[in-house]
């Protein structure tokens, strides 16, 4: 599924500025930490970006990343 990644509010050093686009390629594994927290709201998806992306703090570039579902919005499919 084609998606774009929303910027966090307020901005965070580890978010993805510019609302990059990509494709969901897998569901992310939940860690022990996230399983043990009650109703943590985290479901993550592995997103392959359309082009390598830098985090707001300059870390990267990343071709894929685990993104919380709350930050993903379905996008129109890219034309082939």
């Amino acid at each position: 599924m084609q998606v774009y990644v929303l910027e966090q509010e307020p901005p965070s050093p580890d978010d993805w500025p510019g609302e990059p686009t990509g494709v969901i390629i897998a569901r992310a594994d939940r860690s022990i930490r996230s399983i043990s927290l009650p109703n943590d709201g985290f479901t993550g998806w592995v997103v392959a970006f359309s082009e390598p992306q830098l985090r707001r703090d300059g870390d990267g570039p990343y071709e894929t990343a685990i993104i919380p579902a709350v930050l993903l919005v379905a996008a129109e499919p890219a034309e082939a």
Side-chain angles (χ1 to χ4, degrees), residues 10 15 26-27 30-31 35-36 41-42 47 49-50 60 65-66 72 74:
D15 68 1
R27 184 175 180 149
R30 293 176 59 88
S31 68
I35 291 172
S36 67
F42 181 84
V47 174
F49 295 117
S50 301
I66 297 173
L72 297 176

Side-chain angles (χ1 to χ4, degrees), residues 14-30:
D14 62 349
D15 68 1
W16 304 97
E19 299 188 339
T21 61
V23 176
I24 293 174
I25 58 173
R27 184 175 180 149
D29 291 333
R30 293 176 59 88

Side-chain angles (χ1 to χ4, degrees), residues 5-20 49 53-59 62 67-68 71:
V5 182
L6 296 173
E7 290 189 46
Q8 296 181 33
E9 286 295 329
S12 166
D14 62 349
D15 68 1
W16 304 97
E19 299 188 339
F49 295 117
Q53 296 295 315
L54 297 174
R55 289 188 176 263
R56 185 174 303 281
D57 65 4
D59 196 26
Y62 294 93
I67 308 290
L71 296 178

